Amino acid sequence: MSQGILVNAEVDGLVESYFVVEDRFMDKETPNYIVSQKSKGDKQQVLKRSFRTLADELRHHGYLAEFRWIVGRYYVTLSPRPPEKGRSKARNTLLFAATVVTVFIDGYLRSNNPVLTQALMTETPVLLNALIFTIGIMLVFGVHEMGHKLASERRGVRASLPFFIPAPPGMGGTFGAVISQDEPPTNRDDLFDLGIAGPVFGFVASIVVGVVGIMLSYTVPVWQVAQWAVAYPEIRFQQIPMPIALQVVSDIICPVAEESVLVLHPLAFASWVGFLVTFVNLIPSWQLDGGHVIRALFGRETHKIISITGVFLLMISGYVIMAVIIAFFLMREGTESMAPLDDVSPTSFTRKLGLVGYAVLMALSLIVLLQA
């Protein structure tokens, strides 16, 4: 049944200032407004801009607005905005400190290597290399998550500080970091920005760490490595696949001659880990960053289909365990990428062009773990 005022004069007036309100009603306790375009111009763009401005203003009045298309009509639906959480930084600080410890121990184990301590870096304390490794790892993961947080705050979405996740030394010392968001992004543009920001920031951080790490690395002849393999049988010498971005950095800063190999400094290995994390996060599946990007560009149903492709991409790249985990969550209802408040309006042309940048970023970060 249509009513004169649903919420209050101020809130109803805001809706009326951006849309023509054709009808309004309460569905149980949820205010619904049937609306249409008010100002002149391209219909999709006008509606998109109008809803964005309305949603931003309603947040300050304690409401989240949702824009929907139902049976040929546009609906604006209001719900109470979740109260801002009184976030204590104690848990973030504790997890950060614990992760620094586990990463430092992992770095110490990697740096306490006779090839480094007895041959290449005899004057450099093991503790110093472990500290450098720790700074590199924490920088790569921290900058990645701060990219998400800055994008969230820029779009008016509440987000926590990063929660670092410690891991046993020998496994890198950390499982990464995450942030939590209290509410959905406004539209698909915002969802795209939130998804791509972390990988872009993390990629840049990996490049910076990689430049310094490669400068600290060494090129040695193959025969020398063979001698070390005999002298230090406890050390496992392994050639790791390099992402294109790190390989380019290496070719410029520390080109490797024929019959020689590059021995990575622990900081360079931290950069390698950064690229690996960037690649995995860009996989277009589930709630990974790449999943948010694809959800923003192509919508919910297409995202589900492409998510399956992402699982296969993980498998053929050698990330079998990760593929199994993602496949498990894909089979569970309600675990797909978040839906924006306005899931009607299309993404902007610049975000559609951003798909090219997304693909390039993934290609530059690709690390294939399966070796022929």
Side-chain angles (χ1 to χ4, degrees), residues 146-181:
M146 287 307 295
H148 289 309
K149 180 168 176 59
L150 291 174
S152 297
E153 292 184 346
R154 184 170 179 267
R155 294 304 185 184
V157 177
R158 296 171 183 156
S160 69
L161 288 170
F163 293 93
F164 284 87
I165 307 171
M171 297 179 62
T174 178
F175 289 128
V178 296
I179 65 169
S180 63
Q181 295 170 336

Side-chain angles (χ1 to χ4, degrees), residues 74-89:
Y74 291 102
Y75 285 69
V76 172
T77 304
L78 305 188
S79 60
R81 187 183 189 189
E84 188 169 6
K85 296 178 182 178
R87 289 190 174 95
S88 170
K89 296 180 182 178

Side-chain angles (χ1 to χ4, degrees), residues 111-170:
S111 303
N112 192 25
N113 180 327
V115 170
L116 297 178
T117 59
Q118 300 177 29
L120 297 177
M121 306 184 73
T122 57
E123 302 298 322
T124 304
V126 174
L127 291 177
L128 178 58
N129 273 336
L131 177 62
I132 293 173
F133 173 80
T134 302
I135 292 172
I137 288 288
M138 299 302 288
L139 183 66
V140 166
F141 282 100
V143 168
H144 179 112
E145 293 306 324
M146 287 307 295
H148 289 309
K149 180 168 176 59
L150 291 174
S152 297
E153 292 184 346
R154 184 170 179 267
R155 294 304 185 184
V157 177
R158 296 171 183 156
S160 69
L161 288 170
F163 293 93
F164 284 87
I165 307 171

Side-chain angles (χ1 to χ4, degrees), residues 28-54:
K28 297 182 180 179
E29 297 182 357
T30 302
N32 285 262
Y33 303 84
I34 299 176
V35 300
S36 59
Q37 178 180 352
K38 186 170 187 177
S39 56
K40 295 181 180 180
D42 178 79
K43 184 177 181 179
Q44 285 187 330
Q45 296 305 317
V46 169
L47 291 172
K48 183 178 179 179
R49 287 195 301 268
S50 298
F51 178 78
R52 161 157 220 104
T53 308
L54 174 64

Side-chain angles (χ1 to χ4, degrees), residues 12-322:
D12 280 49
L14 280 175
V15 179
E16 292 169 354
S17 65
Y18 295 106
F19 294 96
V20 173
V21 178
E22 299 177 353
D23 197 4
R24 66 192 81 194
F25 62 93
M26 294 292 289
D27 181 9
K28 297 182 180 179
E29 297 182 357
T30 302
N32 285 262
Y33 303 84
I34 299 176
V35 300
S36 59
Q37 178 180 352
K38 186 170 187 177
S39 56
K40 295 181 180 180
D42 178 79
K43 184 177 181 179
Q44 285 187 330
Q45 296 305 317
V46 169
L47 291 172
K48 183 178 179 179
R49 287 195 301 268
S50 298
F51 178 78
R52 161 157 220 104
T53 308
L54 174 64
D56 288 344
E57 293 196 29
L58 286 175
R59 280 190 172 100
H60 298 298
H61 288 78
Y63 288 94
L64 286 180
E66 185 178 357
F67 193 48
R68 300 178 295 165
W69 171 256
I70 303 175
V71 196
R73 306 178 83 176
Y74 291 102
Y75 285 69
V76 172
T77 304
L78 305 188
S79 60
R81 187 183 189 189
E84 188 169 6
K85 296 178 182 178
R87 289 190 174 95
S88 170
K89 296 180 182 178
R91 184 164 52 168
N92 302 82
T93 304
L94 181 61
L95 287 171
F96 177 82
T99 305
V100 167
V101 171
T102 54
V103 171
F104 183 83
I105 295 173
D106 186 274
Y108 182 87
L109 295 175
R110 296 179 188 279
S111 303
N112 192 25
N113 180 327
V115 170
L116 297 178
T117 59
Q118 300 177 29
L120 297 177
M121 306 184 73
T122 57
E123 302 298 322
T124 304
V126 174
L127 291 177
L128 178 58
N129 273 336
L131 177 62
I132 293 173
F133 173 80
T134 302
I135 292 172
I137 288 288
M138 299 302 288
L139 183 66
V140 166
F141 282 100
V143 168
H144 179 112
E145 293 306 324
M146 287 307 295
H148 289 309
K149 180 168 176 59
L150 291 174
S152 297
E153 292 184 346
R154 184 170 179 267
R155 294 304 185 184
V157 177
R158 296 171 183 156
S160 69
L161 288 170
F163 293 93
F164 284 87
I165 307 171
M171 297 179 62
T174 178
F175 289 128
V178 296
I179 65 169
S180 63
Q181 295 170 336
D182 294 347
E183 55 199 41
T186 300
N187 54 32
R188 292 186 179 186
D189 287 352
D190 290 5
L191 179 58
F192 180 95
D193 294 348
L194 294 180
I196 201 66
V200 169
F201 275 61
F203 180 85
V204 173
S206 298
I207 288 287
V208 172
V209 171
V211 167
V212 180
I214 293 297
M215 291 174 65
L216 296 173
S217 300
Y218 297 85
T219 57
V220 298
V222 173
W223 62 261
Q224 180 65 77
V225 176
Q227 286 188 356
W228 286 336
V230 174
Y232 311 119
E234 72 277 12
I235 300 300
R236 182 185 176 189
F237 293 88
Q238 182 179 10
Q239 185 174 2
I240 61 174
M242 295 276 273
I244 294 175
L246 191 57
Q247 186 64 60
V248 170
V249 170
S250 173
D251 291 342
I252 294 173
I253 296 177
C254 191
V256 180
E258 275 192 57
E259 301 299 321
S260 295
V261 295
L262 181 68
V263 178
L264 293 180
H265 184 276
L267 185 63
F269 181 73
S271 171
W272 185 89
V273 172
F275 286 114
L276 184 146
V277 169
T278 298
F279 168 70
V280 170
N281 273 283
L282 286 171
I283 292 294
S285 298
W286 186 51
Q287 296 186 32
L288 296 174
D289 297 335
H292 295 327
V293 169
I294 295 303
R295 173 68 171 78
L297 291 172
F298 300 108
R300 181 172 181 263
E301 296 305 319
T302 303
H303 168 255
K304 288 182 177 180
I305 297 171
I306 296 179
S307 286
I308 299 173
T309 305
V311 171
F312 283 107
L313 179 58
L314 281 170
M315 293 189 70
I316 64 176
S317 300
Y319 303 83
V320 178
I321 295 176
M322 186 67 179

